[in-house]
Amino acid sequence: MAEVLKQAPQEDLKMTEKSDASTRSVDESSTTLVEDPQLDRKLLWKRDLVLIPIMGILYMLMFLDRTNIANARSLGIGKPNGLEESLNMPSNGYNVALSIFYIPFVLAEVPANILMTLNKVRPGIFLGGQAFLLGVLGMCQGLTRSYGGLLAVRFLMGIFEASLPAGATYMISMYYTKREASVRFAWFFNFALAGPLFSGLLAYAIVNLEGTGGYEGWRWIFIIEGLMTCFIAIFVICLCPNFPQQAQSWFLRDHERERLVRKLEASRGQEDKGSAVDNIPMWKVLSDWRIHLFTMCFFCCDITASSVAAFAPTILTELGWVSTTAQLFTMPIWAAGIVASFSITWLAARVNCRTPFLLFCICMQLVGWIIMRVYVPAAGVRYLALFFMSMGTFPQMPILMAWLSANLRGRKYLAVGMAWMTGFGNCANFISSNVFIITERPYYPTGFSNGLAFTVVGFALVCTGFAVLRMKNKKREALRAQMTEEERERDEEVYFKFVY
C-alpha cells in the first residue's frame, strides 16, 4: 500500500496536481490534467444522468422487493385470507420470514462483490441478471401456497440480492472522486427510499384486486412488483456501463474516458489503474479497523431503518387506521426521509464535514425512539415519532457510506469495504425482525427498548470514529515533520489524510 497515491478529498484539483508533482513517484504524463471545466462538467452530467439512475433504480427495486412483505402483511391484518392466515404462519412466522432473507444476504455479499471486481462478467449482466432472477423470486412469493414455500423463496432472494447494494455502491465509488461521491450516495439511497414509498401507494391500489384471478390482494403485491423488477432488469442489462477504464463508447468517448480515469487516479491513487484485485492480502483488508468501525455505525443506524421498513405499516394499523389507509400513511414517512437525506447529505458535502451532521441525525432518532418507548397515548404524537426516526436515520446511511469510501484506498479495499458495510451492517435486520414480538403489541417494549439502546451506541461509535481519525491525522503530521524530504518521498503513508 506504500506505493498508493493519497489525496485528501477536500483539496481541489489544482492542489492535487501540485502534490502529485512534488511528493509522488508517478509519471507526470499519466496524471497531470489540463484544466477544462467545461469538459469536467459534461463528464459529471453524463455520469449523473446515466450511472446514478441505473444504480438507484436497481437499489430501489431491491429495497421494494425486500420490504413489500410489510405491506402485504398489513393489508391482510384482521382478514381471514391475509398473508399470515392464508399460509398458516405460526405466531413468530412473520419474524422468521424477515430473518431468513438476511442469512444468505450477509454471507454472500463480500464474495459476490469480490467476484464483480474480477471484471470477468460485464457489470450490466452481473447486476441486471441478478435483478431479473430477484423479480422472478419476488413473484413466487405471491404464488406460494405454504409457509415453508415462502421461507424457501425468501432464502433464495437473499442469495440473488446479495451483490446488488454492494455492487451498486462499488460502481459509484469507482466512477466518482471522493468529494463527488458524497452527494451521489445520497441520490442513490433516496432511490431506495422511493421503493417503499410507492409500495404503500401500490398496496393501497391493489386492494381492489382482491379475488382477481383467484388470488388474494396481498399476493398481487408480490406478483406485480416482481413483474416490474423483471421488466426494468432488462434495461439495466443493456444500459449499465462498464467500469471507467472499459466504459462503452456510447457512454464516454475516448478523450472523455481518458480524462475521467486520470481524475479518478488523482483522487484515489494509482491503484485504480491496475488490476481489479491487487496484491493486498485479504486478511489485511478484513482486519482493517476502519471497515469494522464504520460498519458498526451503519449497523446501529440500520436497526432503526429496518424497524421502520418492516413494522411501520403494522404500527400504523395498530394506531387505529384501517390497513388500506395505513398504506397511504406510510408514504409521508418515507418522503420525509428522502427530503432529509438529500438536504443533510448535500450540506455535509458542501462544508466537507460529516461528524456534526451524523450526531444531529442520531439525536432526531433518539427523539423518535423515546416517544415510542414511553408510549405517548396520542396516536398523532406516535405518528410524529416515525417522522423523527425516518429523518434521523436515512441521512446517516449515505453519509456513513461516503465516509468509509473516502477513507479507503484501492479497489480491493473499496470492494470489500462497501460489501462488508452493506452486508454485515444489514445484520441489524436479524435483531429488528425478532424484537417486535406479536404478543407485546401495541406497546412493543422489547422492540422500542432495543432501538433506543442501539441508537445511543451509534452516537458513541460516531464520536469514537471522529476521535480516532483525528488522532491518526495528528500522529501522521507529527511523523511527517520529523522526516527528511527523501524519507517523505519513500514513505507516502504520511501523506494520506483521514477525513471526518
Side-chain angles (χ1 to χ4, degrees), residues 176-239:
Y176 289 94
T177 64
K178 292 184 179 183
R179 189 162 190 171
E180 292 170 344
S182 182
V183 174
R184 276 73 194 179
F185 276 123
W187 292 352
F188 172 71
F189 275 95
N190 283 345
F191 269 99
L193 299 184
L197 187 155
F198 290 112
S199 181
L201 180 62
L202 186 59
Y204 179 79
I206 286 175
V207 69
N208 296 321
L209 294 177
E210 181 73 37
T212 302
Y215 294 124
E216 298 91 335
W218 64 266
R219 293 184 183 275
W220 281 110
I221 294 179
F222 295 124
I223 294 171
I224 292 176
E225 293 181 3
L227 281 170
M228 184 172 60
T229 300
C230 291
F231 177 75
I232 296 177
I234 296 174
F235 290 91
V236 174
I237 293 173
C238 299
L239 299 177

Side-chain angles (χ1 to χ4, degrees), residues 109 113 237 274 456 476 491:
E109 187 119 25
N113 221 33
I237 293 173
V456 173
R476 288 183 173 183
D491 189 356

Side-chain angles (χ1 to χ4, degrees), residues 64-77 82-85 87-102 141 147 150-151 154 218 222 305-315 318 327 334 429-438 441 444:
L64 185 68
D65 290 330
R66 182 195 303 182
T67 60
N68 56 13
I69 190 173
N71 299 102
R73 183 203 191 196
S74 174
L75 199 62
I77 287 180
L83 169 68
E84 294 172 293
E85 291 76 15
L87 300 182
N88 296 316
M89 295 170 65
S91 59
N92 67 335
Y94 178 70
N95 303 80
V96 175
L98 291 177
S99 300
I100 198 169
F101 169 89
Y102 291 99
Q141 287 184 107
Y147 174 56
L150 178 68
L151 295 183
R154 289 191 63 80
W218 64 266
F222 295 124
S306 55
S307 297
V308 172
F311 291 96
T314 301
I315 291 173
E318 291 168 355
Q327 305 296 335
W334 294 104
N429 289 271
F430 290 117
I431 296 177
S432 62
S433 299
N434 292 286
V435 295
F436 287 87
I437 304 169
I438 193 171
R441 64 183 181 185
Y444 293 113

Side-chain angles (χ1 to χ4, degrees), residues 186 190 193 333-348 357 360-361 364 387-396 398-399:
N190 283 345
L193 299 184
I333 298 171
W334 294 104
I338 290 174
V339 173
S341 178
F342 185 79
S343 302
I344 295 175
T345 307
W346 178 86
L347 191 57
F357 295 97
F360 171 74
C361 290
M364 282 201 291
F387 281 87
F388 276 109
M389 293 160 70
S390 175
M391 297 173 68
T393 300
F394 297 116
Q396 292 182 57
I399 293 177

Side-chain angles (χ1 to χ4, degrees), residues 43-54 176 187 251:
L43 283 171
L44 190 60
W45 274 106
K46 276 195 171 186
R47 287 174 285 164
D48 288 346
L49 293 177
V50 174
L51 188 71
I52 296 301
I54 291 176
Y176 289 94
W187 292 352
F251 177 43

Side-chain angles (χ1 to χ4, degrees), residues 285-294 465 468-469 472 498:
V285 178
L286 293 176
S287 61
D288 193 286
W289 63 272
R290 293 167 294 183
I291 293 176
H292 297 292
L293 177 62
F294 289 117
V468 172
L469 293 175
K472 293 276 187 182
F498 292 117

